[in-house]
Amino acid sequence: MLIYPATSLLLMIDMQERLLPAMSGGAQVERNCSILVRAASRKAVPTVATEQYPKGLGRTVSGLSDLLPENSIVEKLEFSCARNAAIMTWLEATGRRQAVLCGVEAHVCVLPPAMDLQARGFDVFVAIDACASRKDESRRMASARLSAAGISVVTTEMVVFEMIETAGSPDFRELSKLIQ
């Protein structure tokens, strides 16, 4: 199944000040999350971000929070944000059934909501190169487990080009520059 801008939403998970520096490849993951947020904005794809216990782990890194729509960050304590009533209310209110996930940690706070959302009937896509864990092995294991569960493990570039849909458009010219 392809990702369509008219039916998808973007869920960015826990890209926070005190978490991101501890992640393997954190800078690249931040860059890829930025690309996804920019593409979602350009294509009018609803975007929400979560923050796991921001009092202890800090807020969403400014390079990403500055790109997000107003009032689109939701605090949580659950490892699976799909078990948070406020987040699920937001997701359901969009009316969209394709969820693209990115963020940290892949094996702790990305994998559980991916599986929970799939169980609730969402088509779930995890942009694995926009996800990180402290250890590369944890991210690899999360990716393998997601794939085994039938969740689409994709790349940032795949998401962007599927959202663009066609070459030669203004969207193509603007968004393809982000990938290069």
Side-chain angles (χ1 to χ4, degrees):
M1 170 171 286
L2 293 174
I3 300 165
Y4 298 101
T7 58
S8 62
L9 60 90
L10 177 63
L11 176 56
M12 186 175 69
I13 300 168
D14 305 347
M15 293 292 292
Q16 293 166 254
E17 298 160 334
R18 292 190 196 107
L19 276 177
L20 200 53
M23 298 299 118
S24 176
Q28 185 62 42
V29 168
E30 182 178 354
R31 179 183 182 278
N32 288 341
C33 284
S34 171
I35 291 168
L36 291 171
V37 171
R38 289 172 194 268
S41 176
R42 175 74 184 197
K43 297 301 290 182
V45 170
T47 300
V48 67
T50 66
E51 291 179 342
Q52 178 75 23
Y53 185 62
K55 215 182 280 187
L57 298 174
R59 307 303 288 185
T60 300
V61 295
S62 62
L64 294 171
S65 63
D66 294 346
L67 300 173
L68 293 169
E70 192 172 324
N71 300 317
S72 65
I73 298 175
V74 181
E75 295 180 14
K76 68 178 182 74
L77 293 174
E78 301 84 357
F79 294 121
S80 174
C81 61
R83 295 181 187 183
N84 178 289
I87 293 167
M88 282 312 301
T89 297
W90 187 94
L91 295 177
E92 294 290 352
T94 69
R96 294 169 182 236
R97 302 310 292 174
Q98 290 187 316
V100 177
L101 278 61
C102 59
V104 300
E105 281 194 72
H107 66 296
V108 176
C109 289
V110 177
L111 181 140
M115 292 199 175
D116 282 344
L117 289 171
Q118 180 187 50
R120 290 175 183 240
F122 284 81
D123 294 319
V124 181
F125 303 83
V126 175
I128 201 66
D129 62 343
C131 294
S133 293
R134 293 171 201 271
K135 297 178 182 174
D136 289 332
E137 179 64 15
S138 295
R139 187 179 74 96
R140 279 193 297 275
M141 292 304 297
S143 179
R145 197 164 161 210
L146 289 162
S147 292
I151 292 169
S152 296
V153 177
V154 296
T155 65
T156 298
E157 188 169 350
M158 292 166 76
V159 174
V160 170
F161 281 98
E162 288 175 32
M163 282 186 178
I164 293 173
E165 298 180 289
T166 184
S169 68
D171 292 334
F172 174 79
R173 283 190 283 284
E174 181 181 322
L175 295 175
S176 63
K177 291 176 189 172
L178 298 175
I179 299 296
Q180 298 172 359

